[in-house]
Amino acid sequence: MASFILNGRPVTVDADPAMPILWVVREKVGLSGTKFGCGIAQCGACTVHLDGQPVRSCSTSISQAEGREVTTIEGVAGPDGELSKVQQAWVSEQVPQCGYCQSGQIMSATALLRDNPSPTDADIDAAMSGNICRCGTYTRIRRAIKVAAGQEPPRTEAMGEEA
């Protein structure tokens, strides 16, 4: 058995202590927003927060979450369902193409902006370096982070046209 706080709610699951958080969240709890990408903690698609810090859930065992707080992409929006500033920026900047890596990208960007509300390009590069986007939307990701930080206005025109 493993007991932890998931997106603000206490959860107890019957799981092997070595089972990765990713599979507990997806298979035992039924939240599918956290994605399996590589399985070796290299791509970032599975990023969740463990006590507020981004971790790769594919390689972090549920035993490491015992008594701690796990936040998934489903827990980033407000309790009323209102999207976070990062999620709103992802929408306004039309960041995703295939979208597969985006929950991990949003989790890393959320942690970055919590710790550094006015990141430089170098700060963004460092914080996001472990998140791979196979579609190559890095320019949109950077812009969305700056929009969420209030450093740039959101896009107001159709995709491809600058505001």
Side-chain angles (χ1 to χ4, degrees):
M1 297 297 257
S3 296
F4 55 100
I5 305 298
L6 179 62
N7 299 329
R9 296 188 178 154
V11 173
T12 299
V13 295
D14 184 11
D16 181 319
M19 181 181 265
I21 292 171
L22 171 68
W23 299 120
V24 171
V25 168
R26 289 183 62 83
E27 303 297 326
K28 300 284 185 178
V29 180
L31 297 178
S32 60
T34 304
K35 304 299 183 197
F36 174 80
C38 67
I40 57 172
Q42 297 298 304
C43 74
C46 69
T47 302
V48 299
H49 294 174
L50 183 59
D51 289 339
Q53 297 305 307
V55 299
R56 302 302 190 248
S57 66
C58 72
S59 64
T60 306
S61 69
I62 194 61
S63 66
Q64 292 175 273
E66 183 69 37
R68 297 172 73 187
E69 187 167 340
V70 175
T71 306
T72 66
I73 189 68
E74 290 89 351
V76 172
D80 58 355
E82 182 178 340
L83 296 180
S84 71
K85 286 183 180 184
V86 173
Q87 291 171 310
Q88 290 172 17
W90 246 247
V91 172
S92 75
E93 301 313 304
Q94 300 178 23
V95 172
Q97 282 187 18
C98 83
Y100 200 80
C101 69
Q102 296 307 310
S103 62
Q105 299 277 1
I106 289 169
M107 296 305 290
S108 291
T110 298
L112 165 65
L113 292 176
R114 182 199 60 233
D115 296 341
N116 181 354
S118 297
T120 64
D121 286 348
D123 295 332
I124 294 170
D125 290 347
M128 303 302 290
S129 66
N131 290 82
I132 296 171
C133 175
R134 291 176 180 102
C135 298
T137 64
Y138 298 111
T139 303
R140 292 183 198 174
I141 290 167
R142 178 188 309 264
R143 180 166 168 73
I145 291 169
K146 289 183 173 192
V147 168
Q151 295 173 328
E152 292 189 16
R155 201 177 290 276
T156 58
E157 301 295 322
M159 190 64 207
E161 299 177 30
E162 293 297 319

